[in-house]
Amino acid sequence: MPASTHRKENVIPVHEAMAAVVDGSLGCAESKVSDFLKDRVCESSEGDVADEGGSGADFLQGEHSSSSLKSSKDVSELLEKFREETEALEEQVLTVCSSVPPKVSAALSAAGEARCSLDELLQREQFISNKLQQHLQGTKQWMGDLGQTCNQVDFIERSIKYLKCLHHIEELSAAVQQYLMINSVWDAIKGVESMAALDCGLSQSECPHLCDFLRKTLCFWHTIIKDRLTSDFEKVLIQLQWPIITPNQSVTPPANHQDLSSQLEGLVLQLLALQTSDDLISQRASASTQGPPTVSSSTLASPAPPLCLPIQIMLQPLAKRFRYHFYGNRQTNSIHKPEWYLTQVLKWLESSSTFMEEKIQPVFDQAGQTISAKVELCRGLVTLVQEKVGSDASRMLYDDGLFCHLVEEVLQFEKDLRSNHSYPATLPALLHILLEDAFLQKWLAVERKMAVEKMDAMLSAEGAWTSQYKDISDMDELKAPECAETFMTLLQVITERYRALPSPAAQLRFFGLQKELVDDFRIRLTQVMKEESRCPLGSRYCAILNAVNYISTILRDWGDNVFFLQLQQAVVSLGEQELLGSIEMMEVGRLASLEGSLFDGLLSLLDRLKGDMLGRLLHSLMRDTAEKAQPYCQERWLSIPAPQDQSAMSLSSSACPMMLCVRDRLLNLHQVLSVSLFQLAWQGLAEKLDNFIYQEVILANHFSDGGAAQLQFDMTRNLFPLFGHYCRRPENFFKHVKEACIILSLKLGSAILLRDLLKRSKLEAKDWEDAGDPSPESALNELGVFCLAPCDVLILLNLRASLPGI
């Protein structure tokens, strides 16, 4: 029989035995186990060996190598073991069977009780719901009747309140009428104020007819009181000779001056008390006629409060005169002469200031008003001018001359108004009108057009490249040509015009225009410079260089000006980089920290142009000098006798052309260049001349003692003093030549020792300080040589003919 079949048959009885144990049939389990063992014994005796897969026979055989049971004792022990295991399993099964059923039964009983309770609750809920529906059906009619009654009560309450409010309005109206009949104006004004307060309280009411009735009643009595007070106030003003038209108008006090002053005081106080209702009526009227307010992009200030009633009445005669003279077909109404009405308004302000300060302002102070009577009059007159300027400016958009003239007059008016009449900067005047988009764009276009025309004219003028102050040395340090000064004056005038604008964004647009003009002028200067570059030492070329230097100097000064620093902060805060060109984020950070300026981009371009022009000038200057220095370079330095063999030393004849050229060029540049440019020029020439003489004269020749002495004499007594007019120690700018002369003029013994020291330092690598000998550098420093390296000094020593061992 196969091993797999044995394995299946062996497993089945064991499972049956376990099932029997669970069922409680211990005897049956034992019999089945016994039968199983007997079968296994028989099978073992037949010699069938199970496979190595680990069947039940392996377990029974254990360690018996013969695969058979040798005695019944082993079988009884195995049976006893199975009996013990069976008893343990039985105990476990009995324990589980004894504990689980009571819990399950308890849970089932609890669930049954809960189900019964739930059914009972559902029955009670259905019963109560039926009773509630029956009750609601019975009370439905009562609820309808009660709701109707409540609505009637609410309607009656609202009607009573409506009637009370209407009655209150009628009482106030009757009281005002009675006060006016008995000439009690103050009480009438209080009644009108009560109406105004009631109107404000009913602003959210849904009773339009009541609100309309109240407003009409308020307007009716307010108009009556205002007309009466206005009439009385105008009479008093006429007796006090108002309006005062001219500053020198003679005002003679009337006989009843004290009485008129007291009347004026009382009327002004009453008009101020009527101000609240007047403002309310004005707001209602403007809201009904204009609709919702529209916000303009150019609005820069919040709307100012309306003028107080006394000032409104005092403005009426002035407004009549203004409209009479400057509107219609009058000759004074000329679009070409805006200064006529602007000057007239300023005269009225000046002539009326004394009356306002002495007569009206004390009454305002008595009433506890914080407003200025003079400023209020300015506001009223400025409003008249604003209407006139707005209408005229729209007609001038297509005429550059008229528009430019209007801008000039408006700027002058604004300046006089702010400075001479103390008009607050927080209140709008006329410049706000010019900040409208159409007017601002026209202004910018006119500025650009006129500036370009002036640049063309100034560059083509006859004296464009000559200085206006050439005969005055104290004022001609920069030696700026006339065209450059005129151009910077043009920029300054533009700055003064837009400086007063109340909008930083508008100011930045004008600044952007200025940057464009500066760059345009730089390009024009570059074009003229290229035409003159064939003669860099000419007067016109130097004048162009002075112009570039003058413009960059002025722009650097402007970069530290408070106004441009404020514009710089406005660029950062408003983010107006697009108005000024592309600015990197790092550049914006530098502007915010005030490390840079708004002119950095322009200054870099101007400095580049200045450096290029200065380089061309020095190149031409050095070319002429080198040409004159050729005989000096070819001098026979070995054949020059020693100084003691000469009666007196004098300048080498071959050096005279070079020295004269240098002297003449320096004198010419000193006359035509500005101080700062000339300093750069002569220092650059000294540096180039130092390198030239060192390379072409000294290193290219050998020198006798007389030749070295002659070279030193030519340099120290002739060349260096040419530059001594412009600095205290000119030899410091000829370091190579000066130190070479020192080396070439050393005494023979010192030269030999120095040469040996330098040779030994070159051949032997040792620490000179540890050996006790001076280092080559320290030895050279003791001689006054700091610029030349030891190797260069050794070369110079080898150029000496008198030094042995060459």
Side-chain angles (χ1 to χ4, degrees):
M1 183 180 294
S4 60
T5 306
H6 285 296
R7 191 177 295 113
K8 291 180 182 179
E9 292 179 353
N10 295 340
V11 173
I12 291 174
V14 174
H15 284 290
E16 292 178 355
M18 293 299 296
V21 170
V22 176
D23 293 338
S25 303
L26 180 60
C28 182
E30 291 181 351
S31 62
K32 289 185 178 182
V33 172
S34 177
D35 295 340
F36 168 72
L37 293 175
K38 290 178 180 180
D39 292 339
R40 293 304 299 154
V41 170
C42 293
E43 292 175 358
S44 300
S45 62
E46 293 176 358
D48 295 334
V49 180
D51 61 353
E52 295 178 2
S55 62
D58 295 333
F59 176 76
L60 293 174
Q61 290 174 0
E63 299 177 353
H64 298 282
S65 60
S66 61
S67 302
S68 63
L69 296 175
K70 295 182 179 181
S71 64
S72 61
K73 181 180 179 180
D74 295 333
V75 176
S76 61
E77 289 177 358
L78 183 61
L79 183 61
E80 183 65 25
K81 184 178 180 179
F82 271 103
R83 182 179 292 108
E84 292 176 357
E85 293 179 357
T86 302
E87 290 176 356
L89 292 174
E90 182 180 3
E91 289 178 359
Q92 293 178 5
V93 171
L94 290 176
T95 302
V96 172
C97 293
S98 62
S99 60
V100 171
K103 293 181 180 179
V104 174
S105 61
L108 292 176
S109 62
E113 292 176 358
R115 183 182 181 89
C116 295
S117 300
L118 179 61
D119 293 339
E120 183 179 355
L121 289 175
L122 290 174
Q123 292 177 2
R124 292 178 61 188
E125 186 270 338
Q126 185 65 33
F127 175 74
I128 294 173
S129 176
N130 293 336
K131 292 186 65 177
L132 180 61
Q133 291 295 330
Q134 294 176 2
H135 180 73
L136 292 176
Q137 289 293 333
T139 58
K140 186 175 183 180
Q141 182 64 32
W142 295 353
M143 290 295 295
D145 297 341
L146 182 60
Q148 185 176 2
T149 303
C150 291
N151 291 335
Q152 291 176 358
V153 171
D154 184 59
F155 176 76
I156 293 172
E157 287 181 352
R158 287 188 286 109
S159 299
I160 292 174
K161 291 180 180 180
Y162 188 93
L163 293 175
K164 286 183 177 180
C165 185
L166 186 61
H167 179 68
H168 182 57
I169 296 172
E170 292 177 348
E171 286 181 346
L172 290 175
S173 177
V176 171
Q177 182 181 9
Q178 184 178 0
Y179 292 142
L180 290 177
M181 290 177 63
I182 62 176
N183 203 21
S184 180
V185 180
W186 277 110
D187 294 332
I189 292 174
K190 292 180 181 179
V192 171
E193 287 181 350
S194 300
M195 288 187 190
L198 182 60
D199 183 75
C200 293
L202 293 177
S203 58
Q204 303 297 329
S205 175
E206 297 181 359
C207 302
H209 298 291
L210 179 64
C211 295
D212 184 62
F213 173 72
L214 174 58
R215 289 168 190 166
K216 288 181 178 180
T217 305
L218 174 62
C219 292
F220 175 78
W221 292 117
H222 175 273
T223 303
I224 292 177
I225 298 174
K226 182 179 178 180
D227 290 344
R228 177 183 294 187
L229 295 178
T230 300
S231 177
D232 296 341
F233 190 50
E234 288 176 347
K235 292 178 181 178
V236 173
L237 289 175
I238 291 174
Q239 295 182 37
L240 293 174
Q241 303 180 23
W242 177 265
I244 303 173
I245 306 302
T246 58
N248 55 358
Q249 178 178 341
S250 59
V251 180
T252 58
N256 55 345
H257 178 71
Q258 294 294 335
D259 188 20
L260 289 176
S261 298
S262 61
Q263 292 182 23
L264 178 69
E265 179 181 346
L267 290 171
V268 171
L269 291 174
Q270 291 174 352
L271 288 170
L272 290 175
L274 199 63
Q275 186 69 45
T276 303
S277 57
D278 188 77
D279 293 345
L280 180 61
I281 293 173
S282 300
Q283 293 173 4
R284 300 290 187 187
S286 60
S288 61
T289 55
Q290 297 180 2
T294 58
V295 179
S296 174
S297 60
S298 62
T299 301
L300 302 173
S302 58
L307 293 173
C308 61
L309 276 177
I311 303 300
Q312 292 182 23
I313 299 171
M314 296 178 70
L315 276 172
Q316 290 178 2
L318 295 175
K320 289 180 181 179
R321 288 176 178 273
F322 187 86
R323 292 188 174 89
Y324 176 81
H325 289 290
F326 305 114
Y327 283 90
N329 299 324
R330 295 287 176 182
Q331 293 182 353
T332 51
N333 182 26
S334 174
I335 195 172
H336 300 84
K337 299 292 183 179
E339 63 270 21
W340 285 353
Y341 61 83
L342 294 175
T343 305
Q344 184 62 64
V345 168
L346 292 176
K347 288 181 179 179
W348 288 346
L349 288 174
E350 183 179 358
S351 60
S352 304
S353 60
T354 304
F355 184 88
M356 301 301 295
E357 292 174 356
E358 296 180 356
K359 300 294 183 181
I360 306 300
Q361 187 62 47
V363 185
F364 282 4
D365 297 338
Q366 180 182 351
Q369 299 289 332
T370 58
I371 57 179
S372 170
K374 185 178 178 180
V375 172
E376 286 291 287
L377 184 65
C378 287
R379 285 179 55 202
L381 292 175
V382 166
T383 303
L384 298 176
V385 179
Q386 286 174 346
E387 297 174 0
K388 180 64 176 175
V389 170
S391 61
D392 287 355
S394 302
R395 299 161 57 192
M396 299 178 183
L397 287 177
Y398 302 100
D399 192 320
D400 294 346
L402 291 178
F403 187 83
C404 183
H405 180 59
L406 176 65
V407 171
E408 292 287 349
E409 294 299 330
V410 167
L411 290 172
Q412 186 61 40
F413 177 84
E414 184 94 9
K415 181 180 179 181
D416 293 341
L417 190 66
R418 304 288 185 185
S419 59
N420 298 334
H421 300 282
S422 303
Y423 195 67
T426 56
L427 295 176
L430 299 185
L431 287 180
H432 292 76
I433 299 175
L434 297 181
L435 293 182
E436 294 290 338
D437 291 338
F439 300 150
L440 186 59
Q441 291 178 6
K442 179 64 176 179
W443 187 358
L444 288 167
V446 171
E447 289 281 8
R448 181 180 290 105
K449 178 182 176 181
M450 296 184 65
V452 172
E453 292 176 355
K454 289 181 179 179
M455 279 195 294
D456 294 336
M458 69 179 68
L459 289 174
S460 60
E462 182 178 357
W465 303 108
T466 59
S467 175
Q468 301 181 35
Y469 311 103
K470 59 182 178 180
D471 298 329
I472 308 175
S473 58
D474 295 340
M475 300 180 61
D476 200 33
E477 290 187 359
L478 294 176
K479 291 184 172 58
E482 185 175 352
C483 62
E485 286 199 82
T486 306
F487 175 72
M488 295 310 295
T489 303
L490 172 65
L491 293 183
Q492 182 64 35
V493 171
I494 294 176
T495 303
E496 293 300 325
R497 275 198 287 266
Y498 76 81
R499 181 194 294 267
L501 292 178
S503 169
Q507 290 176 340
L508 288 175
R509 295 183 66 177
F510 281 93
F511 179 75
L513 171 62
Q514 285 181 311
K515 289 191 64 177
E516 294 177 10
L517 295 177
V518 172
D519 195 54
D520 188 9
F521 194 75
R522 178 189 62 83
I523 294 173
R524 292 168 185 258
L525 290 178
T526 304
Q527 294 172 349
V528 180
M529 180 271 294
K530 290 180 179 179
E531 296 176 359
E532 300 294 331
S533 59
R534 289 171 293 183
C535 184
L537 299 177
S539 59
R540 176 167 290 192
Y541 186 91
C542 293
I544 298 172
L545 183 56
N546 286 332
V548 176
N549 181 66
Y550 175 75
I551 294 173
S552 62
T553 302
I554 298 300
L555 292 183
R556 280 190 172 86
D557 293 340
W558 285 2
D560 297 329
N561 186 273
V562 176
F563 172 70
F564 289 105
L565 290 176
Q566 291 173 349
L567 280 187
Q568 184 171 327
Q569 292 301 314
V571 170
V572 179
S573 61
L574 298 178
E576 297 290 342
Q577 291 93 333
E578 63 275 7
L579 298 177
L580 307 175
S582 59
I583 300 179
E584 300 292 338
M585 291 304 297
M586 184 179 298
E587 192 69 20
V588 175
R590 292 181 69 250
L591 292 178
S593 61
L594 299 180
E595 295 180 4
S597 71
L598 295 176
F599 301 98
D600 285 348
L602 293 174
L603 289 174
S604 62
L605 295 174
L606 291 171
D607 290 342
R608 186 183 306 171
L609 177 60
K610 181 174 70 174
D612 180 53
M613 293 185 67
L614 196 59
R616 291 171 184 261
L617 185 145
L618 290 176
H619 178 74
S620 176
L621 183 60
M622 196 59 211
R623 183 180 57 195
D624 294 347
T625 305
E627 182 179 352
K628 301 293 183 182
Q630 289 305 314
Y632 193 66
C633 295
Q634 300 170 3
E635 182 70 43
R636 298 175 61 86
W637 300 101
L638 283 172
S639 61
I640 298 177
Q644 57 269 20
D645 297 336
Q646 302 181 30
S647 60
M649 295 193 68
S650 61
L651 176 66
S652 301
S653 59
S654 59
C656 291
M658 179 185 69
M659 298 294 180
L660 290 175
C661 180
V662 172
R663 184 199 65 180
D664 295 341
R665 295 308 184 191
L666 287 176
L667 290 175
N668 179 55
L669 292 178
H670 187 253
Q671 293 176 356
V672 297
L673 288 180
S674 66
V675 175
S676 59
L677 285 177
F678 176 69
Q679 186 175 5
L680 294 175
W682 74 257
Q683 290 179 359
L685 176 61
E687 180 182 358
K688 290 182 177 295
L689 196 57
D690 178 48
N691 292 327
F692 174 79
I693 295 176
Y694 182 73
Q695 296 288 338
E696 302 297 331
V697 177
I698 298 176
L699 295 182
N701 294 281
H702 287 79
F703 295 87
S704 63
D705 291 342
Q710 184 63 46
L711 176 66
Q712 187 176 24
F713 180 82
D714 293 341
M715 296 296 103
T716 58
R717 301 292 297 274
N718 293 277
L719 180 62
F720 295 169
L722 291 178
F723 294 86
H725 297 286
Y726 316 113
C727 65
R728 298 183 60 181
R729 300 181 64 85
E731 62 273 10
N732 292 335
F733 295 92
F734 293 88
K735 294 181 179 180
H736 292 85
V737 173
K738 182 185 72 170
E739 295 180 1
C741 290
I742 293 174
I743 298 300
L744 293 176
S745 301
L746 281 177
K747 292 182 179 182
L748 184 60
S750 300
I752 293 173
L753 292 176
L754 180 61
R755 185 185 65 176
D756 294 341
L757 176 65
L758 295 178
K759 282 185 176 181
R760 282 189 290 114
S761 67
K762 184 178 181 180
L763 295 176
E764 300 176 7
K766 68 174 184 176
D767 192 346
W768 293 93
E769 294 182 359
D770 295 341
D773 296 332
S775 65
E777 290 78 8
S778 61
L780 293 176
N781 292 342
E782 289 179 0
L783 296 175
V785 177
F786 300 92
C787 179
L788 296 177
C791 59
D792 297 329
V793 174
L794 191 59
I795 293 173
L796 292 172
L797 290 174
N798 293 331
L799 295 177
R800 295 186 55 165
S802 61
L803 202 63
I806 297 179

